[in-house]
Amino acid sequence: EPVSGQVIYLNAGISKFPLLKEYLVREVGFAEKEVGLIYSGISAARKEKVKEDFNQGEIKVVIGSATIKEGIDLQNRSTVLYN
């Protein structure tokens, strides 16, 4: 059974997302494909793919902007929400 994931809601601006992802991969030990990004600049199809991968347990951490509050259901797999 897939492990539940974590959602990080960042209000600091999307310019910080790659830095946080790099930290999670290099220092914490997540695989590159286990960290997904959701923000207003990506396509609806890409957002849907991140959501599906998260809910299936393939993505362990989602870093998102206010866009994650707009109809994207990540609650079934998330155990921790950081703001």
Side-chain angles (χ1 to χ4, degrees):
E1 181 176 318
V3 176
S4 59
Q6 300 178 45
V7 177
I8 301 172
Y9 169 67
L10 260 180
N11 222 5
I14 63 171
S15 65
K16 304 290 185 204
F17 289 13
L19 298 172
L20 182 54
K21 180 174 181 173
E22 181 181 344
Y23 172 80
L24 291 170
V25 171
R26 287 180 145 191
E27 302 297 326
V28 179
F30 285 102
E32 180 85 21
K33 66 181 183 176
E34 292 179 324
V35 181
L37 305 177
I38 294 180
Y39 53 93
S40 61
I42 63 173
S43 69
R46 180 70 189 135
K47 289 176 194 172
E48 185 64 26
K49 175 74 171 129
V50 171
K51 181 190 91 167
E52 287 174 5
D53 288 352
F54 181 79
N55 286 330
Q56 291 175 2
E58 295 172 26
I59 289 179
K60 308 286 189 252
V61 179
V62 172
I63 304 167
S65 65
T67 301
I68 62 173
K69 299 188 297 184
E70 299 171 6
I72 299 175
D73 183 14
L74 301 173
Q75 296 175 355
N76 290 337
R77 282 275 177 223
S78 60
T79 55
V80 180
L81 174 65
Y82 300 101
N83 186 356

